[in-house]
Amino acid sequence: MITGIHHVSMKCENAEDFQRVKDFYCGILGLPVRREWPEGVMIDTGNGVIEIFRSGGGSVGQGVIRHFALAETQVDDTIEKIRQAGYEIIVEPKDVTIASTPAFPARIAFCIGPLGEQIELFQER
């Protein structure tokens, strides 16, 4: 029985990328390290893990998975931290309502992470 998504995995090309990714997720976003080993790290998102490997052998462009979303309580504050750190904001914070039954209001924003990954910040309303 599936109980949720355990982790999202990313691979860095080199040690500098690895440190930049770790600084972004742990330093800027404030996520804690769950466990670390010589080849990688698992960063706790509160209900899943971002797994990052030190040496991935090359980057790939955006594929079939367009982005991943982090549950957020303060979209505007977090996007400002990301902006101040010099990362690209591709969708400014905005309110949306997903036209579902029932309607699903949210506040969202998107940025580009240190490996070129698209990250959505998603605040349920």
Side-chain angles (χ1 to χ4, degrees), residues 32-116:
V33 171
R34 182 181 285 181
R35 53 183 55 90
E36 192 163 4
W37 63 100
E39 294 82 30
V41 63
M42 286 186 169
I43 298 171
D44 193 342
T45 67
N47 62 357
V49 174
I50 299 171
E51 179 182 51
I52 302 157
F53 288 95
R54 292 183 190 276
S55 178
S59 293
V60 296
Q62 187 179 27
V64 68
I65 296 175
R66 306 306 296 170
H67 67 271
F68 65 90
L70 296 174
E72 175 62 75
T73 60
Q74 298 293 324
V75 168
D76 296 75
D77 293 346
T78 301
I79 219 69
E80 193 54 36
K81 288 179 190 174
I82 294 167
R83 183 188 326 278
Q84 292 299 317
Y87 288 92
E88 180 182 2
I89 308 307
I90 56 174
V91 175
E92 292 291 337
K94 66 180 182 177
D95 292 318
V96 298
T97 300
I98 298 168
S100 58
T101 305
F104 189 12
R107 183 139 182 95
I108 65 168
F110 285 79
C111 69
I112 302 294
L115 295 178

Side-chain angles (χ1 to χ4, degrees), residues 5-12 18 21-22 24-26 29 31-37 40-53 68-71 114-115 117-121:
I5 294 174
H6 183 271
H7 69 269
V8 172
S9 180
M10 295 185 285
K11 295 183 177 184
C12 300
F18 179 82
V21 170
K22 191 174 174 187
F24 178 82
Y25 287 100
C26 297
L29 298 185
L31 301 174
V33 171
R34 182 181 285 181
R35 53 183 55 90
E36 192 163 4
W37 63 100
V41 63
M42 286 186 169
I43 298 171
D44 193 342
T45 67
N47 62 357
V49 174
I50 299 171
E51 179 182 51
I52 302 157
F53 288 95
F68 65 90
L70 296 174
L115 295 178
E117 70 276 20
Q118 284 192 18
I119 304 163
E120 179 181 12
L121 301 177

